[in-house]
Amino acid sequence: MAVPVDAIIKQSPPSSSLRFAFGNVLAFFILLLIGVLAFSIRLFSVIKYESVIHEFDPYFNYRVTQFLTKNGIYDFWNWFDDRTWYPLGRVIGGTVYPGLTLTAGTIWKVLQSLNIPLSVETVCVFTAPVFSAFAAWATYLLTKEVKGTGAGLTAAVLLAMVPSYISRSVAGSYDNEAVAIFALIFTFYLYIKTLNTGSLFYATLNSISYFYMVCSWGGYTFIINLIPMHALLCIVTGRYSSRLYIAYAPLVVLGTLLAALVPVVGFNAVMTSEHFASFLVFIVIHVVALAYYIKGILSPKMFKVAATLVISVGLVVGVGVVAVLVAVVASSPTKGWSGRSLSLLDPTYASKYIPIIASVSEHQPPTWPSYFMDINVLAFLVPAGIIACFSPLSDASSFVILYLVMSVYFSGVMVRLMLVLAPAACIMSGIALSEAFDVCTRSIKYYITSLSESLQTDAGDIVPGNNITSPQNDVIKPDKKEELLKERPSRKNKKKEKESIEKPSVKSKMTKRPLVLPVEASIFALFLIVLLGAFYVVHSVWAAAEAYSAPSIVLTSHSHDGLHVFDDFREAYAWLSHNTEVDDKVASWWDYGYQTTAMANRTVIVDNNTWNNTHIATVGTAMSSPEKDAWQIFNSLDVKYVLVVFGGLVGYPSDDINKFLWMVRIGGGVFPHIKEPDYLRDGQYRIDSQATPTMLNSLMYKLSYFRFVETDGGKGYDRVRRTEIGKKYFKLTHFEEVFTTHHWMVRIYKLKPQKNRIRGKTKKLKSKTSSTTPRSGSLKKNPWH
Amino acid sequence: MGMFRFGLLLLLLAVHWGPALSDLVISKLDRRIDLTSQIVRMTMSFKVENTGPDPVSKVSLTFPEHQANNLALIVAVNTQGKGKTRGPTTNLPITISQPDNNSPPSLIWYAASLPKDLVKGESLTIDVLAVFTHTLRPFPEKITQSESQLFLFQESAHFPSPYKVKSQSMTVKLPTENAESYTKLENTKFANSEIKYGPYENLPPFSYSPVIIHFPSNKPFAVAQELIREIEISHWGNVQITEHYSLIHGGAQSTGEFSRLDFQTRPHVRGASGFRNLLAMLPPRAHSIYYRDAIGNISTSNIYSDSSKTLLEIEPRYPMFGGWKTSFTIGYGLPLQDFLFQSEGSRFLNITFGSPMNDILVENLTVKIVLPEGSKDISVSVPFPVKQSQETKFSHLDIAGRPTMVVEKTNAVPEHNQYFQVHYKFSNISLLTEPLMLIFGFFSLFIACIIYMHADITISKSSPSYLAKLQWDEVLGSIQQLQEVINRSLIVHEKLEASLRELSRTGDVQGCKAVRKAADTLLKDLSKESKPLLSLLQSSPQAAHIIHKVEELVVKERDLQEKIMMKHAMVVDSYEKKSGGRDIDNRVAAIQQKITAVKQEVDHLLEFVEDI
């Protein structure tokens, strides 16, 4: 798609300005179409399901956006949310990355002021697709800076439909990453742009873009570590220039100041280890700049003397500073790193120390199939892209290589960070594809022109039948060929030229002749490339349509009599929101916290923002305890309703029974009387007749399987665990079922009110019997418990 | 039971106010009370006779206060003739008229004005429909999931009429064939789910005989506590209706556990009191129907449509039990031509007023009619008393806002679902405002872009960077020109080469020479052209870093030119001397090599210059 443009641009018809204009217009329309593609490929979820917010975290973001649009920005900063983490509450304004919320809120405000009455929900649903179009354009800009328009357009197309990014940005997936990836790529683009131009204007823009990234996502630390790394790489490899200084120094100064303005970051921008690399390189770059300056004003001999002096003094001071720094950092327990970042550096850290991080599936290391699923053929194209970046190696292409390498490492640690890898893979593959296309089409074109040329000369040969002229023709011909080739200089050559200006010594060595392949090979290669691209497109569309478009609050299944919809979650949340008191507290495992507050508008004990491990452990303990203990725990938390998710009837696998071991683990981490082995029979987690009594008596088991056995006539066959349940007939004494959804996926229980505790039982009873209440008899026989 | 005491009081009062109010006598009174739904409908047909000397223009109807408070609708109709010779029916206007002195205090009086005065001896038949809401009281008030709902209904077996009644009877229709209990008076019959009281003869005015019926009913008690209907007219051909319901099950409160298991296995026993679905009768050709609530689409709905209606069956997210609430929104579009008509220069909308749901009671109904922006002279006519106000709604691309008529009604029953009219004036040209606005908006955007691209918005014209930019533009321009010159001379070279080829083929030396001559003059011109450009570049400080390349290019090009000329001369010379082909080759080979080398360099440089 992109290469023809390239070719068109590079062709040299007589009027070059018209040609460029044509090329630009074509490129513009291709970009427009890429934007449309990026937007529309993400609409599968709306078309197949509905325009609705997806999953868990987006519901929180949606709720925050609602608050923002209703109460305004100042209330938002000061928002203390008492609907969650009861009784602690949560300071939302200071603990949330506000970028996404502010973006959607602003869009909504603007639309509202234009009298376009879109609901907040609609704006939230479509924010992610819109921003993926932006991200595709940003990729174009970035790759264009690195390798030219052709590579840029190819990379943009690839990014528009890379499955990894689609998974986080389908319509309705209203998550930080949706805007953050755009911010990430755009920041990188501005960095490269500054690096290429040395313009302070772009450096300032870069800082602002970085600020937006800090607002949007915790992943900004990736930027603030990658860019210093690249700066350092440039310095070490002797590529220091004033442009590098302009690109780097303003970013650190302005960027850090701006980052500190975001409440959730605040002083972390200068106090945590994640940011130290940037300051270190900031010092280094100044030292280097000073060295270059001094080198310029001193004679070589003097410079040598000065250098030894400074280095010896500098070493002493440097060692001292480092020692102090190490001492300071070492004094903090986590060495100044946050848990998630530490688990990035040491992949085993989380599973060893923080079960709550390890319990989240997206924090697990990825498997090979997930690479294939998420970036598909890009995985094979990336190495080719790296090679293309090395010839020639410029500041920009070295940055892209570094970005790729770092993101590959991080994606290997945590599935979630595959998202950071995706743009790098797209850029690399775009470069590779574009180069390959370039070579192949060039070969074919060369073949065609030389063919017509030889036809012409052949005709000339035959007519005169003169033997004198033919050798002369032979001499001329190759000349022509070369000229033809040179008429379409690829970007690569241009780059070479630029390189050659910087290093004139290299110039003479470099061969000017571009690579030309045999025509059959290039046609075949073109065919294969197109096939590969087609495979990628098919896979991406499949991923967008099937794998990543399910909103996960609505489930569907195809049976012989058509589509069946499981809308149980919303059924339960709607019931809670309409048929319970506004101030009732609902306890559930933390996964459903955000949804409960957003959809049912009820206070929850814990939610998906897992900031307080003890609180979550309390809920985990209650779920793992026998009924009576659980009732006491819940009652002490003022809980009125307990919500469990149960998939055993319809075979919904991610239900609470399957998550139960994490509850035990997290609960046991804080309350030692909960021991994981008590719930395992010979190390195996089972719920059938072999299950341990602790397991069968736990609240979670009871709430999930209450009266379940009656659904299939006494067997109690669990379709998720594929086994008959262990304990079939039991009664609940402290809880009562108040609602169960149509497919039994959500079951809501109410805590029974506490029985009147009778002090001096016999005495009171006597007085009761004397008052001849017929009830007292039954009370005696059947007390609450 | 307060009602019993109240009844007794009435009875006493009836005795007290013995004398008739006027000389009207009701010769026959039949009452039918329909209890098959939550809305109680009472139809009365009575024959009035004037026995007094004065003509009478009004007939009074009285209802006890507790009934009158829940009276949603009362209609009186006078039918002339009887049986097959039934004449046209006339609606009798009804007003509340409280007589000042001799009325029992707990009675509310309604007066139906007769079409013409009733003179002595004449009689008239009047049919009255009275619709009551909230008159069925659940008893017990709280039930569990498996119990049936039971209701209490109180009435007087004798209609408390202010006139003497010669003969009257009352029939009560129950939803099922059994009743828990009912008051047995003389002449009481219970058969086929109907309880019949009477006939009772010669009753004095205000006679009262309380009757209580306790009966089971599991009909849906769907009560919309609030319904906001928004009717939005678009003159592009659509009437969009959006209805926001907040619904409650108005029957006996559900208490205790709700077991899904019981509900699923024996829905008619363990869940009889709840209802699962509602049926809405939408007008024909309704389209784009949706059904959703605050958290998204509700997938449990069905549409059956034919030419006369569209039937929408909706199921709330969960089965509704006593006291359970829910809220949802349904919306649909209707073709404009079915509902909007024109008359005498103005337009009027003719559409139904109430909720399209079957058997639903709407406690607070708000109908908002959103007219297009620019509508004038708006008036609403509703066939029953309502509260009216006006507001403005801002929607897509509005500037002045759309005039919105707000009509409010409490206790709306299905009988209120009548057509009402909204008259307004609207000119068709206003229809084009918004499209034109959009066109103009985009147009001005493009214009702005063009202006921006062409305008020089530099603030300081004398700043060094601006000047540098200007100079650089100049440099670029001259480089481009220079490039063109060189390209042209390269074309001349091509021509020379071509002429050589031609020569080798045809041996036409003269032609070749002619080409040479033409080329010479051309090249001279070109070199003349390039001189000022080059000097300009040399003088410009901006071009300092590239000038050596450009100069090199020009020099190389000249070199190439010379070499080609040399080669040309050589070949032509050889031909003139008639040398052999091999000889020519040998002579040219050396120079040809140089030409190739120089040409490559020129191309190199040209490319570089192009990149600038």
Side-chain angles (χ1 to χ4, degrees):
Chain A
M1 202 166 178
V3 174
V5 181
D6 211 9
I8 287 162
I9 290 169
K10 302 291 159 58
Q11 272 172 14
S12 41
S15 78
S16 59
S17 59
L18 193 71
R19 156 186 59 139
F20 279 120
F22 182 63
N24 285 340
V25 168
L26 200 61
F28 174 77
F29 274 102
I30 289 173
L31 277 178
L32 203 67
L33 285 177
I34 288 173
V36 171
L37 170 73
F39 182 79
S40 53
I41 200 172
R42 289 168 167 82
L43 298 187
F44 276 108
S45 63
V46 171
I47 292 159
K48 287 182 72 179
Y49 294 90
E50 54 180 290
S51 169
V52 71
I53 307 284
H54 288 198
E55 300 211 325
F56 305 107
D57 288 19
Y59 267 99
F60 171 73
N61 297 326
Y62 170 49
R63 185 163 160 258
V64 176
T65 314
Q66 273 182 321
F67 184 89
L68 173 71
T69 51
K70 211 178 286 169
N71 298 297
I73 181 83
Y74 292 108
D75 279 353
F76 167 69
W77 293 125
N78 296 325
W79 185 20
F80 178 82
D81 185 13
D82 57 356
R83 289 245 155 228
T84 180
W85 292 98
Y86 184 83
L88 307 170
R90 179 184 169 196
V91 187
I92 300 272
T95 59
V96 80
Y97 285 99
L100 177 77
T101 318
L102 291 180
T103 308
T106 313
I107 296 174
W108 183 82
K109 267 267 160 63
V110 169
L111 289 176
Q112 213 64 20
S113 65
L114 290 175
N115 279 336
I116 297 175
L118 285 182
S119 67
V120 179
E121 191 191 8
T122 316
V123 172
C124 291
V125 165
F126 291 101
T127 299
V130 167
F131 268 80
S132 15
F134 292 168
W137 293 333
T139 311
Y140 163 75
L141 291 172
L142 172 56
T143 321
K144 191 180 150 208
E145 283 304 309
V146 179
K147 276 284 170 184
T149 318
L153 290 172
T154 321
V157 173
L158 293 176
L159 187 103
M161 50 188 180
V162 64
S164 171
Y165 185 30
I166 285 179
S167 73
R168 291 312 185 105
S169 62
V170 293
S173 184
Y174 179 56
D175 217 341
N176 287 339
E177 286 92 332
V179 297
I181 292 300
F182 158 71
L184 181 87
I185 300 171
F186 197 64
T187 310
F188 286 159
Y189 157 67
L190 286 170
Y191 172 68
I192 295 292
K193 184 82 186 176
T194 324
L195 202 55
N196 281 347
T197 59
S199 147
L200 206 53
F201 171 69
Y202 283 111
T204 317
L205 279 188
N206 190 19
S207 309
I208 293 169
S209 168
Y210 171 68
F211 172 58
Y212 184 64
M213 177 71 191
V214 176
C215 282
S216 305
W217 195 32
Y220 76 91
T221 48
F222 184 69
I223 294 182
I224 205 60
N225 283 303
L226 187 69
I227 289 180
M229 265 186 205
H230 180 249
L232 200 62
L233 185 80
C234 285
I235 292 168
V236 169
T237 53
R239 303 178 81 104
Y240 171 79
S241 62
S242 55
R243 285 173 291 112
L244 180 70
Y245 184 84
I246 296 284
Y248 185 72
L251 174 69
V252 171
V253 177
L254 279 179
T256 306
L257 281 177
L258 289 171
L261 293 182
V262 182
V264 63
V265 178
F267 278 107
N268 285 349
V270 285
M271 283 170 63
T272 57
S273 306
E274 281 102 335
H275 305 80
F276 282 175
S278 62
F279 301 130
L280 195 69
V281 175
F282 188 68
I283 295 167
V284 169
I285 203 168
H286 276 94
V287 170
V288 172
L290 188 70
Y292 271 79
Y293 177 69
I294 290 172
K295 201 177 181 181
I297 57 169
L298 288 183
S299 65
K301 208 176 163 193
M302 285 286 284
F303 179 71
K304 220 168 213 174
V305 175
T308 26
L309 189 74
V310 169
I311 286 173
S312 47
V313 174
L315 265 181
V316 174
V317 176
V319 165
V321 169
V322 167
V324 170
L325 216 67
V326 165
V328 168
V329 169
S331 63
S332 88
T334 58
K335 316 271 183 294
W337 290 73
S338 66
R340 281 205 177 92
S341 306
L342 264 181
S343 68
L344 274 181
L345 297 180
D346 175 11
T348 56
Y349 178 83
S351 54
K352 269 190 282 185
Y353 300 109
I354 320 172
I356 202 134
I357 290 179
S359 77
V360 181
S361 63
E362 64 184 19
H363 292 159
Q364 308 293 329
T367 52
W368 283 114
S370 67
Y371 275 99
F372 188 73
M373 175 74 202
D374 274 0
I375 56 173
N376 200 248
V377 301
L378 304 187
F380 312 120
L381 288 171
V382 161
I386 296 177
I387 292 169
C389 281
F390 268 110
S391 59
L393 189 70
S394 63
D395 289 350
S397 65
S398 71
F399 176 77
V400 178
I401 294 169
L402 189 70
Y403 172 27
L404 179 89
V405 171
M406 295 314 291
S407 60
V408 166
Y409 169 74
F410 285 127
S411 74
V413 175
M414 227 187 240
V415 180
R416 190 151 106 120
L417 292 177
M418 194 81 94
L419 199 59
V420 178
L421 169 65
C426 287
I427 292 164
M428 282 299 178
S429 310
I431 291 169
L433 273 183
S434 171
E435 294 284 309
F437 252 108
D438 223 16
V439 169
C440 293
T441 47
R442 183 200 300 140
S443 310
I444 293 170
K445 201 148 184 220
Y446 166 68
Y447 174 75
I448 291 168
T449 44
S450 66
L451 201 68
S452 62
E453 193 81 2
S454 67
L455 270 175
Q456 226 174 43
T457 49
D458 276 356
D461 263 354
I462 294 159
V463 174
N466 201 332
N467 63 343
I468 308 167
T469 49
S470 46
Q472 207 180 23
N473 272 344
D474 286 348
V475 182
I476 296 166
K477 231 164 62 183
D479 212 347
K480 282 229 146 188
K481 282 175 198 165
E482 236 159 16
E483 210 180 285
L484 268 165
L485 294 175
K486 272 171 249 147
E487 271 176 356
R488 310 184 296 101
S490 66
R491 267 288 161 164
K492 194 167 135 193
N493 295 339
K494 274 191 192 172
K495 278 279 135 87
K496 269 184 195 161
E497 285 289 311
K498 273 186 189 157
E499 283 293 295
S500 61
I501 311 159
E502 282 161 17
K503 287 176 250 170
S505 59
V506 189
K507 182 195 162 191
S508 53
K509 284 177 209 162
M510 248 195 276
T511 50
K512 186 62 181 66
R513 177 182 275 272
L515 180 63
V516 175
L517 297 173
V519 66
E520 294 83 9
S522 51
I523 289 177
F524 187 63
L526 262 189
F527 173 71
L528 284 184
I529 291 171
V530 170
L531 201 71
L532 201 67
F535 183 66
Y536 175 72
V537 171
V538 168
H539 174 80
S540 301
V541 171
W542 172 84
E546 301 292 333
Y548 293 136
S549 280
S552 98
I553 52 161
V554 191
L555 307 159
T556 53
S557 78
H558 293 274
S559 61
H560 56 277
D561 54 341
L563 190 75
H564 199 84
V565 181
F566 298 86
D567 203 359
D568 285 36
F569 287 106
R570 285 191 296 185
E571 184 182 344
Y573 294 132
W575 186 87
L576 274 179
S577 92
H578 287 116
N579 297 309
T580 57
E581 295 297 318
V582 180
D583 286 330
D584 285 347
K585 282 89 193 167
V586 180
S588 67
W589 190 231
W590 59 264
D591 293 28
Y592 312 104
Y594 279 166
Q595 289 186 347
T596 311
T597 41
M599 283 199 263
N601 192 23
R602 291 295 171 268
T603 308
V604 295
I605 306 299
V606 291
D607 70 19
N608 308 44
N609 177 277
T610 49
W611 68 275
N612 189 325
N613 192 34
T614 313
H615 219 48
I616 291 181
T618 311
V619 174
T621 306
M623 293 293 191
S624 338
S625 304
E627 221 187 315
K628 188 172 178 183
D629 299 349
W631 186 90
Q632 272 162 357
I633 293 171
F634 280 140
N635 195 47
S636 71
L637 286 171
D638 217 0
V639 168
K640 200 138 176 216
Y641 295 94
V642 181
L643 178 149
V644 294
V645 173
F646 170 64
L649 186 75
V650 287
Y652 170 66
S654 43
D655 65 352
D656 277 349
I657 292 283
N658 274 3
K659 289 172 186 165
F660 185 53
L661 271 192
W662 286 111
M663 302 183 203
V664 174
R665 258 171 229 160
I666 292 167
V670 177
F671 302 99
H673 70 276
I674 302 288
K675 296 181 196 71
E676 192 178 336
D678 291 347
Y679 297 85
L680 302 174
R681 173 75 71 195
D682 305 328
Q684 271 192 319
Y685 178 60
R686 50 202 310 173
I687 45 111
D688 55 7
S689 49
Q690 296 295 306
T692 59
T694 324
M695 174 72 212
L696 296 181
N697 282 320
S698 65
L699 183 73
M700 182 49 74
Y701 179 90
K702 284 194 165 178
L703 296 190
S704 289
Y705 292 112
F706 178 62
R707 294 189 74 185
F708 175 63
V709 70
E710 294 169 56
T711 54
D712 57 355
K715 274 180 77 182
Y717 183 78
D718 184 319
R719 287 185 203 183
V720 174
R721 267 64 58 177
R722 299 178 180 285
T723 172
E724 274 186 38
I725 58 171
K727 193 170 171 185
K728 293 181 178 173
Y729 297 95
F730 55 86
K731 279 198 173 116
L732 293 175
T733 44
H734 301 273
F735 294 87
E736 63 176 351
E737 182 186 9
V738 285
F739 191 73
T740 297
T741 57
H742 188 249
H743 302 99
W744 288 52
M745 271 160 61
V746 184
R747 311 195 70 181
I748 300 169
Y749 293 86
K750 192 176 180 180
L751 268 72
K752 278 188 183 166
Q754 198 166 17
K755 184 198 76 174
N756 285 337
R757 190 159 293 281
I758 299 150
R759 198 179 295 160
K761 223 172 192 172
T762 45
K763 200 174 155 190
K764 273 267 162 127
L765 267 177
K766 259 179 205 163
S767 68
K768 278 224 167 164
T769 34
S770 62
S771 68
T772 65
T773 322
R775 279 255 169 133
S776 68
S778 71
L779 227 167
K780 196 189 202 170
K781 211 170 75 188
N782 181 22
W784 278 112
H785 33 76
Chain B
M1 289 260 116
M3 293 292 177
F4 288 109
R5 253 172 282 142
F6 168 75
L8 282 171
L9 180 77
L10 260 186
L11 211 64
L12 288 173
L13 287 171
V15 174
H16 191 249
W17 266 279
L21 190 83
S22 70
D23 300 321
L24 284 179
V25 168
I26 296 176
S27 51
K28 192 165 190 289
L29 170 62
D30 277 328
R31 278 198 297 162
R32 288 188 59 84
I33 296 170
D34 185 0
L35 298 181
T36 52
S37 78
Q38 57 168 332
I39 297 159
V40 174
R41 294 179 174 88
M42 182 192 290
T43 47
M44 288 187 284
S45 103
F46 55 89
K47 203 173 171 187
V48 239
E49 207 180 320
N50 192 356
T51 52
D54 305 326
V56 177
S57 66
K58 280 186 177 176
V59 176
S60 291
L61 299 166
T62 49
F63 291 102
E65 201 172 14
H66 69 277
Q67 276 188 353
N69 286 343
N70 294 322
L71 182 66
L73 179 81
I74 180 161
V75 186
V77 168
N78 160 233
T79 317
Q80 266 130 23
K82 247 201 161 183
K84 280 186 184 165
T85 58
R86 247 177 121 95
T89 57
T90 38
N91 254 332
L92 309 178
I94 290 177
T95 49
I96 296 181
S97 63
Q98 204 67 24
D100 30 51
N101 47 5
N102 54 356
S103 148
S106 52
L107 280 181
I108 306 290
W109 292 62
Y110 295 87
S113 344
L114 300 177
K116 60 177 199 268
D117 288 354
L118 205 62
V119 293
K120 186 179 172 177
E122 267 191 347
S123 69
L124 189 73
T125 311
I126 299 176
D127 291 310
V128 176
L129 169 70
V131 181
F132 301 95
T133 60
H134 301 103
T135 38
L136 298 181
R137 280 192 335 112
F139 185 81
E141 284 179 336
K142 288 189 176 181
I143 56 169
T144 61
Q145 187 189 348
S146 53
E147 286 171 325
S148 250
Q149 288 182 118
L150 295 171
F151 290 92
L152 280 180
F153 176 69
Q154 303 178 328
E155 200 16 290
S156 158
H158 307 158
F159 184 64
S161 163
Y163 314 113
K164 269 189 200 154
V165 182
K166 280 188 181 152
S167 154
Q168 73 158 298
S169 66
M170 175 174 86
T171 316
V172 180
K173 175 137 179 57
L174 301 181
T176 56
E177 296 209 349
N178 46 6
E180 202 75 3
S181 68
Y182 59 96
T183 313
K184 290 193 181 72
L185 301 173
E186 50 176 330
N187 282 339
T188 304
K189 264 189 289 184
F190 182 28
N192 289 339
S193 74
E194 280 190 356
I195 304 172
K196 190 171 179 192
Y197 291 97
Y200 303 107
E201 311 279 334
N202 285 329
L203 294 169
F206 301 115
S207 58
Y208 194 91
S209 153
V211 164
I212 290 183
I213 302 169
H214 193 204
F215 65 99
S217 171
N218 285 322
K219 298 283 166 192
F221 272 63
V223 179
Q225 292 176 310
E226 177 123 48
L227 166 60
I228 300 171
R229 283 190 96 208
E230 193 176 278
I231 302 169
E232 187 161 3
I233 298 168
S234 158
H235 278 259
W236 294 100
N238 193 33
V239 178
Q240 180 66 37
I241 300 185
T242 316
E243 299 175 352
H244 306 275
Y245 287 87
S246 46
L247 206 70
I248 188 171
H249 183 297
Q253 288 275 330
S254 173
T255 175
E257 293 200 342
F258 166 73
S259 167
R260 176 66 71 166
L261 181 80
D262 292 338
F263 183 70
Q264 274 170 342
T265 47
R266 289 179 293 271
H268 297 294
V269 186
R270 302 287 183 92
S273 61
F275 63 90
R276 275 166 184 262
N277 54 8
L278 293 164
L279 213 58
M281 194 97 80
L282 308 183
R285 292 184 291 288
H287 59 87
S288 330
I289 301 169
Y290 66 86
Y291 168 44
R292 55 167 298 150
D293 65 5
I295 54 176
N297 177 54
I298 307 173
S299 52
T300 42
S301 60
N302 265 317
I303 297 173
Y304 315 92
S305 61
D306 56 37
S307 60
S308 62
K309 62 180 185 305
T310 308
L311 214 56
L312 172 68
E313 183 194 2
I314 60 173
E315 228 175 271
R317 286 198 185 271
Y318 38 87
M320 296 291 289
F321 280 92
W324 286 16
K325 291 177 198 161
T326 189
S327 65
F328 57 85
T329 303
I330 61 175
Y332 47 94
L334 298 170
L336 186 73
Q337 68 269 18
D338 291 6
F339 299 94
L340 192 74
F341 307 95
Q342 267 183 321
S343 73
E344 300 151 18
S346 79
R347 298 157 198 263
F348 70 95
L349 175 81
N350 187 34
I351 203 163
T352 51
F353 185 80
S355 158
M357 299 273 176
N358 276 357
D359 263 336
I360 194 172
L361 163 65
V362 184
E363 287 180 349
N364 295 297
L365 173 63
T366 311
V367 180
K368 293 184 179 177
I369 305 106
V370 185
L371 299 172
E373 199 175 16
S375 305
K376 290 182 295 269
D377 303 337
I378 307 158
S379 65
V380 182
S381 62
V382 187
F384 37 83
V386 288
K387 209 175 113 192
Q388 278 188 28
S389 57
Q390 188 168 0
E391 57 184 38
T392 313
K393 186 192 170 184
F394 287 91
S395 185
H396 296 277
L397 301 169
D398 285 346
I399 295 170
R402 309 183 178 192
T404 303
M405 302 304 296
V406 183
V407 179
E408 281 166 89
K409 171 97 188 82
T410 51
N411 271 347
V413 292
E415 277 78 4
H416 283 119
N417 211 353
Q418 302 169 22
Y419 281 91
F420 74 106
Q421 290 79 35
V422 183
H423 295 265
Y424 65 98
K425 280 188 180 144
F426 179 74
S427 87
N428 276 327
I429 296 165
S430 330
L431 206 57
L432 295 172
T433 337
E434 276 165 15
L436 284 178
M437 222 166 74
L438 271 185
I439 291 166
F440 183 72
F442 276 98
F443 180 71
S444 42
L445 177 74
F446 292 138
I447 292 287
C449 283
I450 291 170
I451 291 172
Y452 174 75
M453 294 303 282
H454 284 79
D456 187 352
I457 48 168
T458 312
I459 300 164
S460 157
K461 303 273 185 208
S462 58
S463 77
S465 74
Y466 179 69
L467 290 178
K469 194 174 160 270
L470 280 189
Q471 270 179 354
W472 180 240
D473 283 346
E474 208 175 326
V475 165
L476 279 183
S478 47
I479 282 178
Q480 214 163 16
Q481 277 173 335
L482 196 65
Q483 212 181 322
E484 231 163 80
V485 168
I486 285 168
N487 273 331
R488 262 154 67 195
S489 55
L490 283 180
I491 290 168
V492 173
H493 298 170
E494 286 287 300
K495 270 187 194 157
L496 282 173
E497 296 273 0
S499 77
L500 282 183
R501 274 201 299 274
E502 193 71 11
L503 176 67
S504 76
R505 223 174 57 211
T506 59
D508 180 10
V509 179
Q510 290 311 314
C512 198
K513 274 188 174 168
V515 171
R516 166 74 188 265
K517 209 170 240 174
D520 271 348
T521 50
L522 256 175
L523 285 175
K524 221 170 259 170
D525 286 353
L526 287 174
S527 70
K528 255 187 218 160
E529 249 181 74
S530 70
K531 243 171 217 158
L533 292 172
L534 201 61
S535 62
L536 195 139
L537 280 180
Q538 275 160 345
S539 66
S540 164
Q542 284 285 311
H545 66 289
I546 47 162
I547 187 67
H548 64 280
K549 286 267 173 188
V550 179
E551 275 170 350
E552 203 184 338
L553 175 65
V554 173
V555 168
K556 286 274 147 100
E557 196 270 336
R558 202 145 294 161
D559 195 17
L560 180 65
Q561 199 174 313
E562 272 163 25
K563 293 229 158 79
I564 285 180
M565 288 302 182
M566 230 154 89
K567 180 186 154 193
H568 197 267
M570 241 181 232
V571 174
V572 171
D573 199 33
S574 310
Y575 266 91
E576 278 183 327
K577 287 178 184 163
K578 304 271 193 276
S579 316
R582 179 143 307 216
D583 193 26
I584 297 175
D585 276 355
N586 286 344
R587 286 176 59 186
V588 172
I591 207 157
Q592 180 65 45
Q593 233 168 21
K594 276 185 198 160
I595 288 178
T596 320
V598 174
K599 201 162 195 182
Q600 212 163 345
E601 276 178 45
V602 168
D603 281 342
H604 232 210
L605 288 168
L606 207 55
E607 232 172 64
F608 170 76
V609 171
E610 227 173 281
D611 277 354
I612 300 170

